[in-house]
């Protein structure tokens, strides 16, 4: 299996994966090739590594689905990319905590590949995921979204806080692929210095002599509504039954378009004082629940990736 010319971007979700996929990985003049890509990331990766039946998974057969794309990219002098943020986990799926199993499958198919992992400060990640859950039709309060206090044994909240102990997944990938084959970057570096962020990725895969024009990349925006808008959205979700597990799953649906436009308008005209009050409540609630949960993990992560995460606002 010739996969030494392959970069696998595994997420995490809510770390500007779309920005990478649309601004960097799809551009041949950036040195990358993603021949398996559709309009949304690489859905073939979900089929082959996440939803595949465990008894049917075969590394050789799986590799054959990617072989031609890898060869074509290599012949063109490009670096192949598999980019799918759900390879790490899926916060909005009760069964979406498959990080270790997917890592094993990826390594069995592409043992020489390089791996890119993007992390995000935990409180910010939780709030971003909660906002996405509401936008997809969720009805939970922030307490219900993250707390195990009111759940019976064997039942779990949608968002499991332990998944943000990044050192566990990072260490496992380093053990599988090799420490030098895994690059971990904080999402906050992209917000602070996008040029440095991109250069880290280029240096990691050995792409040289590329001019990085900041003007050509997509604008990094906040996809969520503001806090009080989300509160109204959550209340209204109780009066609708959305397709597919209670989520709005099609941007072409009339209902989806109407809600999108309505809440976008609300987001602009709701007084900022109300938005700030609700954000303060959400921030305090999340801080109360997580307490010092991630300090030790962030310290270990800083050591693993040789980067001081406290400089990016992580609890260390």
């Amino acid at each position: 299996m010739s996969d030494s010319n392959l970069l696998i971007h595994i997420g995490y979700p809510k770390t500007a994966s779309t920005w990478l996929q649309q601004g960097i990985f799809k551009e041949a003049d950036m040195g990358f090739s993603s021949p398996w890509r559709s309009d949304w990331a690489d859905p073939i990766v979900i089929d082959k590594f996440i939803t595949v039946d465990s008894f049917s998974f075969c590394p050789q057969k799986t590799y054959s689905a990617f072989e031609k794309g890898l060869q074509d990219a290599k012949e063109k002098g490009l670096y192949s990319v598999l980019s799918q943020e759900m390879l790490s986990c899926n916060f909005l799926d009760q069964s979406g905590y498959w990080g270790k199993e997917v890592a094993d499958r990826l390594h069995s198919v592409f043992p020489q590949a390089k791996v890119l992992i993007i992390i995000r400060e935990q409180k910010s990640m939780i709030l971003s995921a909660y906002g996405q859950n509401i936008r997809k039709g969720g009805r939970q309060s922030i307490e219900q979204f993250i707390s195990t206090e009111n759940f019976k044994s064997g039942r779990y909240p949608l968002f499991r806080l332990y998944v943000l102990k990044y050192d566990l997944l990072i260490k496992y990938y380093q053990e599988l692929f090799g420490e030098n084959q895994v690059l971990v970057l904080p999402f906050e570096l992209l917000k602070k210095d996008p040029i440095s962020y991109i250069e880290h990725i280029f240096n990691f895969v050995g792409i040289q002599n590329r001019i990085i024009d900041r003007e050509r990349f997509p604008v990094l925006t906040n996809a969520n509504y503001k806090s009080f808008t989300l509160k109204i959205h959550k209340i209204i979700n109780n009066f609708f039954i959305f397709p597919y597990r209670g989520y709005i799953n099609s941007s072409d649906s009339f209902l989806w378009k109407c809600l999108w436009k309505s809440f976008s308008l609300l987001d602009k005209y709701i007084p900022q004082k109300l938005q700030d009050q609700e954000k303060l409540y959400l921030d305090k609630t999340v801080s109360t629940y997580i307490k010092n949960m991630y300090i030790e993990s962030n310290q270990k992560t800083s050591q693993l990736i040789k980067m001081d995460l406290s400089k990016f606002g992580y609890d260390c």
Side-chain angles (χ1 to χ4, degrees), residues 90-302:
N90 180 9
F91 302 140
L92 303 188
D93 186 331
Q94 283 282 8
S95 60
Y97 297 85
W98 44 59
K100 182 178 184 296
E101 292 74 16
V102 168
D104 290 333
R105 290 174 178 174
L106 288 170
H107 183 257
S108 69
V109 179
F110 305 118
Q112 300 179 68
K114 292 182 180 291
V115 178
L116 174 64
I117 305 174
I118 310 299
I119 61 176
R120 180 173 179 171
E121 191 276 323
Q122 286 90 351
K123 293 187 289 294
S124 172
M125 179 76 92
I126 293 167
L127 290 171
S128 182
Y130 178 66
Q132 183 182 6
N133 177 54
I134 298 302
R135 286 165 62 95
K136 293 288 187 180
R139 303 171 186 180
Q140 301 99 327
S141 66
I142 184 63
E143 293 89 348
Q144 292 170 328
F145 186 64
I146 62 177
S147 172
T148 60
E149 292 180 4
N150 297 319
F151 284 80
K152 296 180 181 180
S153 178
R155 303 285 298 275
Y156 300 93
L158 187 57
F159 193 104
R160 303 186 196 178
L161 294 173
Y162 69 78
V163 77
L164 300 186
K165 292 186 176 182
Y166 300 125
D167 67 295
L168 302 176
L169 190 66
I170 292 169
K171 184 178 181 181
Y172 193 69
Y173 268 92
Q174 288 182 345
E175 290 173 348
L176 285 176
F177 289 86
E179 183 177 341
N180 294 331
Q181 293 292 99
V182 179
L183 174 66
V184 181
L185 294 175
F187 165 73
E188 292 76 16
L189 177 60
L190 170 58
K191 297 175 66 176
K192 180 180 179 181
D193 189 351
I195 300 299
S196 175
Y197 179 87
I198 297 169
E199 287 177 342
H200 272 82
I201 297 173
F202 282 173
N203 292 335
F204 178 56
V205 298
I207 292 178
Q208 300 176 346
N209 302 319
R210 304 288 173 174
I211 298 175
I212 303 176
D213 182 3
R214 189 169 184 169
E215 299 298 323
R216 64 172 293 177
F217 299 119
V219 177
L220 187 63
T221 59
N222 181 7
N224 276 334
Y225 300 124
K226 296 176 183 177
S227 300
F228 198 83
T229 309
L230 286 174
K231 183 177 183 179
I232 297 174
H233 198 326
K234 178 175 72 70
I235 294 171
I236 291 178
N237 286 347
N238 287 287
F239 298 95
F240 293 91
I241 299 176
F242 298 121
Y244 185 61
R245 297 185 185 177
Y247 297 148
I248 303 170
N249 72 332
S250 173
S251 59
D252 295 326
S253 71
F254 179 73
L255 176 59
W256 191 93
K257 289 179 178 179
C258 289
L259 285 173
W260 181 277
K261 187 172 183 179
S262 298
F263 288 117
S264 295
L265 289 173
L266 276 175
D267 215 38
K268 294 180 180 179
Y269 294 110
I270 289 176
Q272 189 60 42
K273 183 178 180 180
L274 290 177
Q275 302 282 16
D276 292 341
Q277 288 176 346
E278 183 63 17
K279 185 176 187 306
L280 181 61
Y281 167 75
L282 293 175
D283 288 344
K284 285 185 175 180
T285 301
V286 171
S287 295
T288 297
Y289 272 91
I290 68 173
K291 297 180 181 177
N292 297 323
M293 179 183 295
Y294 298 115
I295 290 179
E296 182 179 356
S297 174
N298 288 339
Q299 291 172 348
K300 291 180 178 178
T301 299
S302 293

